[in-house]
Amino acid sequence: MANDKYETHEYDVIVIGAGGAGLRAAIEASAAGVKTALICKSLLGKAHTVMAEGGIAAALRNVYQEDNWKVHFRDTMRGGKMLNNWRMAQLHAQEAPDRVLELEEWGALFDRTKDGRILQRDFGGHRYARLAHVGDRTGLEMIRTLQQHAVHKGIDVYMECNIQRLLKDGDRVCGAFGYWRESGKFVTFKSKATVLATGGVGKAWKFTSNSWEYTGDGTTLAADAGADLIDMEMIQFHPTGMVWPNSVRGILVTEGVRGDGGTLRNSEGERFMFNYITDYFRAETAETEEEADAWYEDKTNNRRTPDLLPRDEVARAINAEVKAGRGSPHGGVLLDIASRRSAEYIARRLPSMHHQFKELADVDITKEPMEVGPTCHYIMGGVRVEADTAATTVPGLYAAGEVAAGLHGANRLGGNSLSDLLVFGRRAGLYAAQYAQDLEGHPSPATDQIEQCAQELLAPFNNDGGENPYSVHMALQDCMQNLVGIIRAESELKKAQTEIASLKERLARVTVEGHRQYNPGWNLALDLQSLLTVAEATTMGALERKESRGGHTREDHPGPDPDKYGKINLVLRRKDGEFSLSAEPLPEMPDDLKELFEEGR
Amino acid sequence: MASEFTMRVWRGDLSGGEFKDYRVEAQEGMVVLDVIHTIQATQAPDLAVRWNCKAGKCGSCSAEINGKPRLLCMTRMNLFEPGETITISPIKTFPLLRDLVTDVSFNYEKAKKIPALKLKAKEADGTRRMYQDDVDRVQEFHKCIECFLCQDVCHVIRDHEDNKPEFAGPRSFVRLASLEMHPLDEEDRREFLKGDAGLGYCNITKCCTEVCPEGIHITDNAIIPLKERVVDAYYDPVVWLMNKLTGK
Amino acid sequence: MSDQAVAVNRGGPTDKTLRIDAWWVEPAVTVGMLSTFLIYTTWAALVNEHYYVAPYLSPFYSPCLSTSCAHVTLGLFDWPLSPAILILWAPAGFRLTCYYYRKAYYRSFWMSPPACAVRDGHAQYSGETRFPLLMQNLHRYFFYAATLVVLFLWWDALLAFRFPTTDGGSEFGLGLGTLVLIANAAFLSLYSFSCHSCRHLCGGGLDVLSQSPLRLKLWRQVSRLNENHMLFAWISLVGVMLTDVYVRFISMGYISDVRFF
C-alpha cells in the first residue's frame, strides 16, 4: 500500500511535463475518457516549447502542391542520416498535417496565404516550404493553444511539482513521487499509466538555447525505472545561437532568419557555406550565389541555398570557420539579413528576433548583421519507444517529445520538433489511456520504495560535505562544453568520464542551506542527479560510436561508417546505478519506402 | 568592464521579511536576472526566484525593479549607474511564496472561466479560410507571454484586494479580445465581459500597456474595443432600436 | 501550486511605492494644464462678449444658435444667457468621456492611481461599474454631437475667407485668423476622428474585416490616427483655447489681425 504520510493522488494516466507533447498527450488521454493529470515543473505554459520559433513541419501542400508525406519522410530520414526509426518518421510525416489543422480548430492563428490557408515557410533540410508558423513565435502559439484547450477540457494540472522517481509495482510503472517547489513537501501520484514528456538535457552544457528545466529528468526517470535509452550521443548543436554579450550566449536565433533570406558570412564577407557542401547533399544544393538567391523565389528551377543545409552541417561549418580565424569579433560568424531584405519585411517576419537583439545586444537586425555561433539545442537520442504506441520498454511507461528517441535519427530537421510533439504526444496519450483502460485493478507501489526516495531527496540537507550545488553544475557545464561538445575525440571523452565520476562524488557531498520551501539550491542539487546521469550516458555513447554522423562528430573518426555504425542503435541500460551499453540493429525499412531513396533527387 | 552594484533584494515569505543588501559585480551585457543568479551561486543559495528561458519568451521572471514591474531577464544592468543601489521586490498583487516568488494562481483561475472558442461551420470544401487582414489584429494578442505584469500593475486588484473576485484583469481581457475578434468564432462574450469579468472596473489608466514587455496595446486594442462592444450590447439605444427593427 | 485561497496579507514590502523616479511630474502637469483650460473656458464661455470679430467666430461660440448672437450661425430662438452654453456641452461631454482624458484625470485629479505601481489614493474602488461613472459608456453619443460641432467649425473657417468691405459688402481674403480657424478645425477633426468610439464604429466592431474592404480601409486609417489620440487631444485643447484668445484679443483691440490679401 502507498504511504499515507504524503499527499497522494490517484489517476488512470499521469503525464509528466506540460510542454507541447505533454499537453497533447493529456488532451488525448482525457478525451479517451480516463482520469488524467498533467504535472509540470514550472507554471503551466512556461515549458521550453514556448522557445520554439520557426514553425511546425507538415506537408500541408498550401504553398507547394508537389509536397506530400513521402517527400517529408525522405527529408526527415536523410536529415537524420538514416539512423531514424523509419516507422516513426513515416507516422510523423503522415499525421503532421492533421495535427496542425487540429491546432487551428482549437484556436491557433497561423500566418495566412493569400487564399486564406496556412502559410508555410522554408527551413533547413526541407525540400519545400513546409513550416506552418506564426512569425517567429510558433512555439508560443502552440503551447498557448494546447494549454487553453486543456484548461477548457478540465484536465487537472499540478504546477511547480518536480517528479523525482517513478514508482513500480513489479515490472510495471505505477506512479511517480516528487515534491512541490512551493512548499518542498512530498507528493505521490498513483497511476495505471505514465507518460514522460519532460523534454531535453541542454542544461548539462554551458552554451545552450535550453531553459533551466532541461535537466534530463525524464531520461533519468526512465533509465532508473529500467527503460532502454538509445543514441544518447546524438546531440544537436544549433548553428545559430547568440554569442554576445556573454550572459546571453546560447540563446537561439531562429533558422527562420535563413529561411527568410538571411545568409552566413565570415569575417572576410564571404558566404562560406558554399565551401561546405558535402557529397551527400551536393545534388540538391545550389553551387552559385545567384542560384541560391533565385531559389527563394523559384524552387522548381533552382536548388536550395547551402545556408539551409541540415543543422549539423551548418554548425560544423561555423565551427571550422571560427577555428580557421575567420570568425566575428566575439567568436562566431555573421548572419546577415539586413542587407538582403527590407527593414519592414524583417520586422514583420522576425519580430521576436528583432526585439531580442535590440534588447539584449543593442543590435538592430534590420541594419546590422547578427553574430551567431553553435549552441546546444536538442537531443535526438533518449528513451527508446515503440513507434506506433510511444510505449517504452517498461510496461505502463510511455514517452513522447524530446525525451523520446528514434524519429530524428542522428540529426533533427528544424520544424520537425513541434510536429513530433503533436504526433507522438497524441499517440502516447492515446495508447497510455488504452493501457490504463485495459488494466485490471490499480497497481500500487511498495511503501519502502517511497520512504527510500524521501530519504534520498532530503540527503542534501543532512549532508555536511560543504559542496556548493552551483559550483558542481558549473563544473559539469564546462566539462561537457569542452570535452563532449560539437567536435569530439577519444582522449577528451575519456577525460570527461573521469571528470563526471569525480563530479558524482562531489554531488554526494553537496550541502544545501535553508528550508525546503521554494529553495533553488536544493532543487538544483536534485536536478544534478539527472544532469550527471545524462552526461554519463552521452559520453558513453559518444566514446563507443567511432564514426561521425549527424549530431555526433569525432575528430578521430571523421567519416561515417555505413557498414557498422550506420546500421545500429547504441542501447544503454541502467542497473543499480551503472549503465551498460550494447549495439542493436536498426529496424528494417520495408522495400516500398526504400525505393524513395533510390530515385535520387 | 565590470562594475559594482548594491542589490537590495526582498527576502521573506507571508510571515514577514525585509530587504537585504548584496554587493555584486556585473559584467558587460548582464541583465538583472544574471545578477540574481550570481547572488544565488555565491552569497545566498536559497534565494528564491522564478525563471525559465532567460530570453523574454516565457514570462516567468516578473518582479519589480526600483518599484517598476519588469522582467528580470529583459532588464539590462547598463540601465543603471555603477555603484547605484537597485531595489528588487516581488510582484505586489499576488501573495508571496518566498523572496521574489509569488502565488499567481489567481490568473489561472480566471483563465478557467473564460468562455471557450466556438468555431463556425467549415467551408463547403472542408477547409478553414482566414485572411491575414483579420488575423493580424488577433495575432497581437497571441503575443502575450503571460508574465502577469499587467495583472500586477493594475490598481483595480493591486490596491483593492476585495475586487479580485469581480475583476478578471488585463491579461484576461487580452485573451477575451483574441476570442471575440477571432474571425471564425461565433460565441458572444459580452454578457460575461460586463458581468463576471468586470470590464467596467477598468478605468483605462493604461498602466497595463505601459508595463507589457511584448508591447501589446492592451488598453487601446483590447480593452477599449471590448468596452465598445459591450456598449453595443447594453448602452447604445440606437443599436438597440436598430436590432429591434431588423429583428436581430 | 496548491489552490489555497488568496490571503489578504500578501507579504512583501508595504511601501506606497518603491519607484524612485519623478512619477508625480506627469499628474502634476496634467492637473496644471487641465485646470488652466477649465478656468479659462468657463470664463470665456460665460462672459458672452468679444467672441466675434468679422469674419472670425470664436469656436467656443460656434455654432451660435441664439438669435441674439453677435454672429448667428443658426438662429433657433432667443436665449438670454451666453449662447456658448447651448453648444459647449457637446465638446465638453466628448472630452469628459474620452478614453484618453479619462486616463488623464483619473490619474491626476482622482489619483486612482496617480502613476503606475503607486498606491491608489482611495481605499474603495468600483471603477466605471456604477452611476455616475457608468455614463462614460455614452461616449459615442458625444462623439456624434461633437462631430456636428466640428462641421460647423469648418463652416466658420470657410466664412473666415469672407471679409467685410467698407461699403457693407464682402470680399474674398486671407488673414492670420483664417489660418488660425482652419488649424483649429483641423486639429479638432484629428482629435474627433481618432477617437476610440469612431474607430469601433468604422470597423473595429466587425470580426471579419477582410470581406468589407471599405470599412477595413477606414478602420486602418482611423487606427493609425488613434495611435496619436493623446497628442491630438492636447494639441486641439490648447489650439481651441488659443483660437478663442486670438479672436478675443482682436475684438478687444489688444492686437490686430494680419491680413495677407
Side-chain angles (χ1 to χ4, degrees):
Chain A
M1 282 307 292
N3 195 327
D4 290 339
K5 219 165 115 184
Y6 307 115
E7 177 186 345
T8 303
H9 300 273
E10 205 168 300
Y11 283 93
D12 293 321
V13 173
I14 58 169
V15 178
I16 305 170
L23 278 161
R24 189 63 190 81
I27 288 169
E28 197 66 20
S30 169
V34 301
K35 199 180 168 209
T36 307
L38 185 59
I39 306 165
C40 50
K41 202 162 143 178
S42 290
L43 297 174
L44 185 62
K46 308 296 182 195
H48 197 62
T49 304
V50 298
M51 304 281 288
E53 291 163 354
I56 312 175
L60 290 161
R61 311 168 69 186
N62 291 351
V63 176
Y64 282 87
Q65 271 297 317
E66 299 90 327
D67 203 7
N68 60 52
W69 76 262
K70 287 181 181 166
V71 186
H72 190 184
F73 167 76
R74 183 175 177 274
D75 289 345
T76 302
M77 292 294 298
R78 280 174 60 83
K81 306 290 162 9
M82 305 304 283
L83 204 68
N84 322 50
N85 178 316
W86 67 268
R87 176 63 180 157
M88 287 178 86
Q90 182 189 30
L91 287 169
H92 168 254
Q94 286 172 333
E95 294 179 2
D98 284 346
R99 297 287 80 77
V100 171
L101 292 173
E102 189 173 72
L103 282 186
E104 192 163 78
E105 290 298 299
W106 297 344
L109 287 174
F110 296 101
D111 289 351
R112 317 304 299 180
T113 61
K114 288 251 182 311
D115 63 345
R117 293 187 297 169
I118 295 173
L119 181 63
Q120 298 178 274
R121 76 153 41 117
D122 285 308
F123 239 53
H126 292 283
R127 182 151 165 197
Y128 299 110
R130 188 179 281 149
L131 270 70
H133 61 278
V134 187
D136 53 2
R137 50 164 196 84
T138 315
L140 175 65
E141 185 76 10
M142 182 164 135
I143 199 164
R144 208 58 89 228
T145 303
L146 291 170
Q147 169 189 346
Q148 284 156 354
H149 190 71
V151 164
H152 288 310
K153 292 289 163 204
I155 295 168
D156 292 343
V157 182
Y158 296 91
M159 298 188 216
E160 301 205 310
C161 179
N162 280 34
I163 295 301
Q164 292 291 314
R165 298 282 189 281
L166 293 178
L167 301 171
K168 288 184 83 174
D169 182 354
D171 281 350
R172 296 173 190 283
V173 168
C174 65
F177 183 73
Y179 66 90
W180 299 107
R181 294 179 73 200
E182 177 187 326
S183 61
K185 289 186 179 140
F186 295 132
V187 56
T188 306
F189 290 91
K190 294 206 284 175
S191 65
K192 294 178 180 170
T194 301
V195 178
L196 290 176
T198 54
V201 304
K203 276 293 165 191
W205 279 262
K206 189 171 176 184
F207 301 128
T208 173
S209 63
N210 292 177
S211 74
W212 78 272
E213 293 190 287
Y214 266 33
T215 49
D217 298 2
T219 319
T220 307
L221 289 172
D224 286 341
D228 289 0
L229 308 182
I230 56 170
D231 301 333
M232 286 295 290
E233 68 281 8
M234 292 302 175
I235 306 276
Q236 179 170 82
F237 287 82
H238 193 291
T240 58
M242 291 177 79
V243 295
W244 190 89
N246 243 326
S247 70
V248 297
R249 185 159 183 165
I251 293 180
L252 189 64
V253 179
T254 177
E255 195 164 323
V257 176
R258 284 170 284 142
D260 288 343
T263 190
L264 292 163
R265 297 181 197 275
N266 60 22
S267 60
E268 291 158 12
E270 183 193 12
R271 289 171 68 174
F272 59 84
M273 279 312 300
F274 288 94
N275 308 331
Y276 293 90
I277 305 169
T278 47
D279 289 342
Y280 197 68
F281 292 104
R282 196 171 301 282
E284 55 200 64
T285 309
E287 280 165 57
T288 63
E289 297 191 8
E290 291 70 36
E291 185 180 3
D293 290 345
W295 169 84
Y296 282 102
E297 301 306 325
D298 174 9
K299 293 183 176 55
T300 323
N301 299 311
N302 296 288
R303 289 172 296 171
R304 100 181 5 260
T305 169
D307 284 306
L308 284 172
L309 281 169
R311 288 175 175 174
D312 54 331
E313 313 275 345
V314 183
R316 273 193 298 271
I318 293 175
N319 201 63
E321 285 295 305
V322 175
K323 261 195 177 159
R326 292 188 293 271
S328 64
H330 300 96
V333 293
L334 299 170
L335 174 57
D336 167 33
I337 190 166
S339 74
R340 294 166 56 81
R341 295 288 185 268
S342 74
E344 186 271 329
Y345 177 88
I346 298 168
R348 181 166 50 83
R349 299 284 297 173
L350 304 161
S352 96
M353 286 303 102
H354 188 219
H355 183 237
Q356 176 176 314
F357 272 90
K358 211 170 207 169
E359 294 293 319
L360 296 174
D362 287 330
V363 168
D364 182 350
I365 67 166
T366 66
K367 298 200 176 79
E368 312 157 66
M370 297 159 248
E371 269 192 79
V372 295
T375 176
C376 179
H377 185 55
Y378 191 88
I379 181 161
M380 278 71 69
V383 182
R384 184 188 215 175
V385 290
E386 194 183 69
D388 287 75
T389 63
T392 67
T393 50
V394 178
L397 185 64
Y398 296 76
E402 189 172 347
V403 68
L407 169 62
H408 306 295
N411 174 54
R412 175 174 71 78
L413 294 186
N416 271 358
S417 171
L418 291 185
S419 40
D420 172 14
L421 305 183
L422 295 171
V423 169
F424 293 101
R426 174 183 157 276
R427 284 185 165 268
L430 183 67
Y431 288 98
Q434 265 182 26
Y435 177 90
Q437 279 164 336
D438 293 345
L439 195 70
E440 280 174 26
H442 213 295
S444 204
T447 309
D448 57 349
Q449 229 184 95
I450 294 176
E451 210 39 56
Q452 192 193 336
C453 294
Q455 294 302 325
E456 286 168 10
L457 299 187
L458 290 179
F461 285 107
N462 311 323
N463 208 324
D464 53 5
E467 190 66 67
N468 177 341
Y470 297 94
S471 312
V472 176
H473 188 205
M474 277 184 254
L476 173 66
Q477 288 181 318
D478 280 333
C479 163
M480 295 306 281
Q481 189 72 35
N482 299 331
L483 304 175
V484 199
I486 181 165
I487 311 287
R488 301 156 179 180
E490 182 170 310
S491 58
E492 290 179 348
L493 291 168
K494 284 194 165 148
K495 207 169 140 199
Q497 282 189 318
T498 320
E499 279 200 30
I500 292 167
S502 88
L503 286 171
K504 275 167 114 175
E505 284 167 26
R506 280 176 70 183
L507 177 59
R509 293 195 303 273
V510 157
T511 308
V512 294
E513 287 174 22
H515 51 77
R516 284 158 69 178
Q517 194 190 3
Y518 221 108
N519 186 333
W522 179 44
N523 303 168
L524 176 62
L526 299 178
D527 287 345
L528 275 170
Q529 301 279 1
S530 318
L531 284 167
L532 278 164
T533 302
V534 167
E536 189 183 350
T538 296
T539 311
M540 248 176 119
L543 198 56
E544 173 60 32
R545 189 175 281 278
K546 295 180 182 60
E547 66 161 351
S548 294
R549 179 181 298 272
H552 171 68
T553 305
R554 284 282 294 263
E555 204 170 52
D556 43 356
H557 299 279
D561 181 348
D563 297 325
K564 187 176 177 197
Y565 291 104
K567 292 192 167 134
I568 55 165
N569 290 126
L570 293 180
V571 183
L572 287 159
R573 291 192 185 93
R574 200 178 204 198
K575 211 168 180 195
D576 302 323
E578 294 300 318
F579 275 117
S580 61
L581 191 147
S582 58
E584 292 183 23
L586 290 172
E588 181 82 12
M589 194 187 300
D591 291 341
D592 59 325
L593 292 180
K594 270 187 192 159
E595 280 170 18
L596 293 172
F597 299 89
E598 283 150 17
E599 289 163 4
R601 182 176 135 81
Chain B
M1 294 286 271
S3 7
E4 220 176 56
F5 293 91
T6 302
M7 306 298 288
R8 262 181 93 214
V9 184
W10 185 263
R11 301 297 312 265
D13 53 28
L14 267 190
S15 63
E18 59 180 351
F19 280 110
K20 274 200 177 159
D21 287 359
Y22 300 93
R23 302 279 300 164
V24 198
E25 205 157 85
Q27 306 296 322
E28 192 186 359
M30 270 193 172
V31 293
V32 174
L33 185 58
D34 290 314
V35 175
I36 297 286
H37 283 158
T38 310
I39 297 174
Q40 273 185 338
T42 56
Q43 302 179 47
D46 62 341
L47 168 61
V49 59
R50 191 183 267 138
W51 70 285
N52 274 37
C53 76
K54 211 175 99 63
K57 293 197 167 67
C58 76
S60 300
C61 60
S62 303
E64 299 187 5
I65 302 173
N66 284 342
K68 287 191 179 178
R70 301 188 68 124
L71 293 179
L72 295 173
C73 74
M74 294 303 275
T75 307
R76 290 182 69 182
M77 289 301 288
N78 63 7
L79 277 178
F80 310 101
E81 293 298 319
E84 202 178 310
T85 298
I86 303 163
T87 307
I88 315 284
S89 52
I91 53 175
K92 190 177 180 144
T93 300
F94 305 113
L96 188 60
L97 291 175
R98 187 178 176 186
D99 302 341
L100 300 177
V101 180
T102 56
D103 175 358
V104 292
S105 51
F106 170 84
N107 306 293
Y108 289 96
E109 291 307 313
K110 292 292 178 188
K112 287 182 191 167
K113 301 197 180 102
I114 292 175
L117 183 78
K118 203 170 113 195
L119 291 189
K120 289 176 191 151
K122 285 187 180 170
E123 304 284 322
D125 63 357
T127 62
R128 295 263 181 222
R129 300 288 169 126
M130 287 184 264
Y131 297 89
Q132 196 63 44
D133 285 337
D134 298 318
V135 165
D136 270 340
R137 181 169 51 160
V138 185
Q139 283 182 335
E140 180 190 8
F141 306 136
H142 283 208
K143 288 194 314 195
C144 172
I145 57 173
E146 297 200 327
C147 63
F148 307 128
L149 287 176
C150 56
Q151 305 281 81
D152 173 48
V153 83
C154 180
H155 70 113
V156 178
I157 45 178
R158 182 184 178 93
D159 300 320
H160 307 280
E161 183 72 29
D162 51 327
N163 285 339
K164 278 186 179 171
E166 337 291 339
F167 184 66
R171 162 56 190 144
S172 305
F173 296 138
V174 167
R175 165 109 173 97
L176 280 156
S178 79
L179 290 164
E180 274 299 281
M181 297 178 199
H182 190 295
L184 299 181
D185 173 74
E186 55 179 18
E187 178 76 49
D188 184 353
R189 296 171 188 79
R190 291 180 295 185
E191 189 185 346
F192 176 80
L193 278 162
K194 177 172 174 280
D196 292 354
L199 185 63
Y201 279 88
C202 168
N203 68 346
I204 49 175
T205 36
K206 269 195 158 175
C207 288
C208 50
T209 306
E210 279 185 29
V211 301
C212 179
E214 285 294 301
I216 301 171
H217 296 85
I218 302 176
T219 321
D220 288 324
N221 291 350
I223 295 182
I224 295 176
L226 288 177
K227 282 198 173 226
E228 286 293 317
R229 284 175 184 228
V230 170
V231 171
D232 282 346
Y234 295 97
Y235 304 110
D236 189 331
V238 174
V239 172
W240 178 82
L241 199 67
M242 290 285 276
N243 286 347
K244 274 277 173 221
L245 289 176
T246 55
K248 266 189 196 167
Chain C
M1 279 191 314
S2 74
D3 49 3
Q4 69 181 65
V6 177
V8 179
N9 161 35
R10 296 180 189 152
T14 52
D15 312 57
K16 182 178 164 206
T17 184
L18 290 166
R19 283 179 66 167
I20 50 173
D21 56 337
W23 56 264
W24 43 269
V25 168
E26 197 186 304
V29 169
T30 309
V31 167
M33 299 271 290
L34 289 181
S35 303
T36 309
F37 178 80
L38 272 176
I39 293 165
Y40 178 80
T41 311
T42 311
W43 173 78
L46 294 179
V47 67
N48 201 8
E49 56 179 0
H50 298 305
Y51 58 82
Y52 182 73
V53 53
Y56 309 136
L57 174 64
S58 157
F60 290 158
Y61 289 78
S62 173
C64 220
L65 302 180
S66 168
T67 46
S68 57
C69 270
H71 169 85
V72 180
T73 316
L74 267 179
L76 299 181
F77 45 77
D78 188 35
W79 172 258
L81 304 171
S82 165
I85 297 170
L86 288 174
I87 48 101
L88 272 192
W89 60 268
F94 184 49
R95 289 198 188 241
L96 192 69
T97 58
C98 161
Y99 286 102
Y100 166 68
Y101 282 109
R102 273 143 81 179
K103 169 198 165 186
Y105 63 75
Y106 284 138
R107 278 201 191 186
S108 57
F109 284 91
W110 197 243
M111 297 202 289
S112 186
C116 300
V118 177
R119 187 180 299 152
D120 199 325
H122 301 262
Q124 291 298 315
Y125 175 87
S126 60
E128 300 179 340
T129 56
R130 295 180 206 160
F131 185 81
L133 293 182
L134 192 62
M135 304 308 283
Q136 303 280 28
N137 286 308
L138 297 179
H139 185 50
R140 66 175 63 163
Y141 291 93
F142 289 110
F143 164 70
Y144 297 139
T147 304
L148 271 178
V149 172
V150 170
L151 288 179
F152 279 107
L153 293 178
W154 279 109
W155 176 243
D156 293 339
L158 278 179
L159 291 181
F161 285 101
R162 211 178 60 172
F163 288 81
T165 50
T166 41
D167 58 4
S170 60
E171 60 178 9
F172 182 76
L174 179 78
L176 182 57
T178 317
L179 297 179
V180 168
L181 259 59
I182 290 174
N184 179 53
F187 287 135
L188 284 169
S189 302
L190 283 172
Y191 171 61
S192 294
F193 294 114
S194 63
C195 150
H196 292 84
S197 286
C198 172
R199 185 180 181 215
H200 174 78
L201 296 161
C202 284
L206 296 180
D207 292 344
V208 181
L209 280 158
S210 56
Q211 306 307 310
S212 319
L214 259 177
R215 292 187 71 181
L216 174 65
K217 225 174 177 171
L218 203 59
W219 176 75
R220 282 209 174 130
Q221 296 288 355
V222 174
S223 296
R224 211 161 298 148
L225 289 179
N226 179 260
E227 286 172 26
N228 296 308
H229 193 48
M230 174 178 96
L231 183 70
F232 297 142
W234 284 113
I235 294 180
S236 62
L237 187 85
V238 174
V240 75
M241 191 162 81
L242 292 181
T243 305
D244 181 83
V245 169
Y246 187 77
V247 173
R248 192 168 297 279
F249 279 14
I250 300 173
S251 166
M252 293 169 85
Y254 290 174
I255 54 170
S256 46
D257 187 34
V258 182
R259 186 74 191 271
F260 299 112
F261 58 85

